[in-house]
Amino acid sequence: MREQESINISIESDIKTIAEAIFEQFGMTKNEAIELFYRQVAMTKDIPFIQRSLNEETIKAIEEINEKDNLKTYNNFAELRQDLEV
């Protein structure tokens, strides 16, 4: 058996409730759903969500990333949250 690790996350209560109800409809526990997400990311080296359309803000963000000279970086997630004021 492979070595297991634990993760600890915080999430809004209403999102958790809705998501867990959907997991239950698929016969999955939240642990199984999170592991499925992680496995998909590891397998595809990408975030497993379909981008249906790009709004103006997203297009601008992609253009900024492609320019790279103006790309803002952060040392950690806390710095990003502080910059976004969330």
Side-chain angles (χ1 to χ4, degrees):
M1 183 176 200
R2 293 189 173 149
E3 182 179 339
Q4 299 284 311
E5 290 192 29
S6 295
I7 61 172
N8 183 13
I9 64 168
S10 295
I11 191 165
E12 294 174 21
S13 298
D14 55 337
I15 299 297
K16 179 180 176 285
T17 300
I18 293 166
E20 288 180 2
I22 294 168
F23 301 155
E24 188 175 330
Q25 289 175 1
F26 283 97
M28 302 171 72
T29 66
K30 63 183 169 192
N31 289 350
E32 291 167 332
I34 292 168
E35 183 171 352
L36 178 64
F37 175 81
Y38 269 66
R39 286 182 181 275
Q40 188 69 20
V41 169
M43 183 176 69
T44 64
K45 309 289 189 270
D46 198 3
I47 301 296
F49 302 116
I50 297 171
Q51 179 62 49
R52 294 200 163 96
S53 63
L54 302 176
N55 62 29
E56 190 173 317
E57 183 179 3
T58 302
I59 292 169
K60 183 180 176 196
I62 291 170
E63 289 170 352
E64 288 174 3
I65 289 170
N66 289 334
E67 290 174 10
K68 294 184 183 170
D69 293 336
N70 298 325
L71 185 62
K72 188 168 186 177
T73 61
Y74 300 92
N75 292 316
N76 54 52
F77 187 60
E79 283 184 11
L80 170 63
R81 289 186 61 147
Q82 183 177 3
D83 188 46
L84 296 174
E85 299 176 358
V86 292

